[in-house]
Amino acid sequence: MTDLDDIQRDLAEARAALIAGLAGLTPEQIARRPPGEITDEEQRWPINDVIWHVGVTEDAFCRQIAQGLAERPIVNTPAPKRPEILTTAPLLVEWLIQSRRPTLALLKRLNATDLDTEFTMPNGAKRTPRQRLTTLLGHDRDHLVQVNALRALSAEA
């Protein structure tokens, strides 16, 4: 196996786990905002906003990698607002599947050298596709923990 195969496998496993975490959720659980104040340090999103964020972040990272490898300036655009219709587990799953497709297409075009090619982010930080993909992997895993915590909260309510 190559590094690219390992990355693709790990991304697939993390995304499958996130999708599995949505199984059986009701629209009420999906839209339920956790109790408490919203602070600068912590955003209290309902599950549908968490999943929307996962897909939007993946899109941004995929574009950063493509722009960086093409030696174009990295352009960060504001995240679009979540569509109001995104209120059921099947729609959230479809969003996660669709938001992964460009990343899979990008992975097919990458080679081992590309993984470690540095590009400059708008803030001046240096990144590589490997770093962006590793962060993306952790992002899915972190938000699975968040979805599970939100699921547990709605079971307690």
Side-chain angles (χ1 to χ4, degrees):
M1 285 202 127
T2 67
D3 283 352
L4 282 166
D5 292 332
D6 292 343
I7 290 169
Q8 188 164 347
R9 182 202 63 233
D10 292 346
L11 286 169
E13 288 172 359
R15 183 56 52 96
L18 185 55
I19 287 171
L22 300 173
L25 287 171
T26 66
E28 292 76 23
Q29 290 171 306
I30 288 168
R32 182 178 181 275
R33 190 170 296 280
E37 296 292 320
I38 296 174
T39 66
D40 290 338
E41 294 83 34
E42 181 179 2
Q43 295 192 6
R44 297 186 183 272
W45 292 335
I47 291 171
N48 54 0
D49 284 344
V50 171
I51 299 303
W52 177 251
H53 163 77
V54 168
V56 168
T57 300
E58 179 146 6
D59 174 65
F61 279 30
C62 188
R63 282 185 292 107
Q64 290 169 359
I65 293 168
Q67 290 166 348
L69 290 176
E71 298 181 1
R72 296 191 317 259
I74 307 296
V75 177
N76 289 329
T77 56
K81 185 178 179 207
R82 176 185 51 79
E84 293 297 321
I85 194 169
L86 210 56
T87 58
T88 66
L91 288 174
L92 293 172
V93 167
E94 188 58 33
W95 168 242
L96 288 173
I97 291 168
Q98 287 181 22
S99 62
R100 177 53 51 94
R101 286 186 180 130
T103 304
L104 295 176
L106 176 69
L107 284 168
K108 287 180 182 177
R109 295 190 314 265
L110 295 180
N111 61 48
T113 303
D114 291 335
L115 278 178
D116 297 310
T117 299
E118 280 193 343
F119 52 87
T120 305
M121 300 295 292
N123 66 1
K126 300 288 187 188
R127 297 287 182 268
T128 66
R130 182 187 307 274
Q131 290 169 326
R132 295 277 79 185
L133 293 165
T134 300
T135 301
L136 196 59
L137 173 63
H139 193 248
D140 272 20
R141 290 175 175 161
D142 291 345
H143 285 300
L144 173 59
V145 170
Q146 186 178 11
V147 165
N148 287 335
L150 290 166
R151 178 190 284 274
L153 282 175
S154 30
E156 295 169 4

